[in-house]
Amino acid sequence: MAKRDALSRAVHWGWREFQQAGVVTADTRAGRAFARFGRGSIMAFPPGAVFGEDGIAVGEDTLIGQLVTISAGTVPGQDLCGMTLLAIGDRCVIGRGSHIVAHESVTIGDDVWTGPYVYITDQNHGYEDPDVPIGSQFPVNRPVSIGAGSWLGAGAIILPGATIGRNVVVAAGAVVRGVVPDQCVVAGVPAKIVREHTKAGWQPARAASRKLDVRLSRQVGWSLSELRRGGADTVALFALRPARTRHRGVRGVALPEEDLA
């Protein structure tokens, strides 16, 4: 038992020494391989797969956790012609086991934190030809941008073409595509806005107004926001038009007062 305890202590001591020796900083050889590796930033040991360092820029005081895979380009050793494909800002935290895969452009703003096992990529498999295996078709690249101050929960997936605003919360397990505005909370698959910051503070998403916008657009070609911009007279005229009045063959839509505010 004493021999086993001694061996265990030796293994744990040795592992801690390996971890400390393997940390990547701006002053290490591994850090100097990056296009930029800012002062005060560290990449924990052991890392995940890391390649294309000359196309990766890391800001200052950023922490990249253990087993994080970051890559630029398609294969190790690829000539990136001096381009920076992946940019991570200052004071970011990239959670354990996350993957950030850049083929065209992935930009992560300052103060972005992620939970563990987040996946961010700007490339998807093409599937246009139904007769060719998807893995054999050309991939499609679309730039990804994540705004400063955002938080990505554990297991979130950020798909190609996603543009996430500032101070956005992405719930754990959410799958994000398209444009996400500033200062909101998104959740689900695909991710949808569930909370947003207004003049009154953080509020549940205005689901009723969003549904009304869709209904108006389908029926008369106008959205609620367009009606609001038209002024009170336009809104009143539209809301109060008699039922027999039609626009493109559709009855006038009565707007609830709270949706006109």
Side-chain angles (χ1 to χ4, degrees), residues 50-254:
V50 179
F51 64 83
E53 293 94 330
D54 58 331
I56 301 173
V58 179
E60 297 184 352
D61 300 316
T62 285
L63 169 63
I64 300 173
Q66 294 181 352
L67 302 175
V68 170
T69 289
I70 55 175
S71 63
T74 304
V75 294
Q78 179 181 353
D79 184 1
L80 300 178
C81 301
M83 296 185 297
T84 299
L85 305 185
L86 169 57
I88 302 174
D90 298 337
R91 300 174 301 280
C92 293
V93 175
I94 309 300
R96 176 187 177 93
S98 294
H99 286 62
I100 307 176
V101 181
H103 293 86
E104 180 175 326
S105 176
V106 174
T107 303
I108 299 175
D110 296 337
D111 302 296
V112 172
W113 287 32
T114 85
Y117 307 106
V118 168
Y119 189 84
I120 303 168
T121 184
D122 62 355
Q123 186 178 89
N124 219 338
H125 293 286
Y127 55 89
E128 288 76 12
D129 192 333
D131 298 319
V132 175
I134 292 173
S136 300
Q137 299 190 42
F138 284 108
V140 178
N141 298 335
R142 297 180 65 194
V144 168
S145 175
I146 300 173
S150 293
W151 160 256
L152 280 56
I157 298 174
I158 313 301
L159 295 176
T163 300
I164 298 174
R166 297 172 60 90
N167 284 61
V168 170
V169 175
V170 177
V175 177
V176 180
R177 62 182 183 180
V179 177
V180 177
D182 295 344
Q183 300 173 330
C184 67
V185 180
V186 296
V189 181
K192 297 180 180 179
I193 298 174
V194 296
R195 290 180 68 82
E196 55 193 348
H197 194 270
T198 68
K199 293 180 180 178
W202 286 97
Q203 302 290 330
R206 299 182 64 184
S209 293
R210 296 179 191 283
K211 290 179 181 178
L212 182 61
D213 258 350
V214 173
R215 191 168 83 240
L216 287 171
S217 295
R218 288 176 178 171
Q219 291 183 339
V220 299
W222 299 339
S223 70
L224 183 58
S225 57
E226 288 171 326
L227 287 173
R228 288 195 184 104
R229 286 196 296 270
D233 291 341
T234 302
V235 173
L237 178 63
F238 183 80
L240 298 177
R241 65 173 55 179
R244 67 176 180 275
T245 304
R246 286 175 164 76
H247 183 84
R248 298 185 184 176
V250 180
R251 289 180 182 272
V253 180

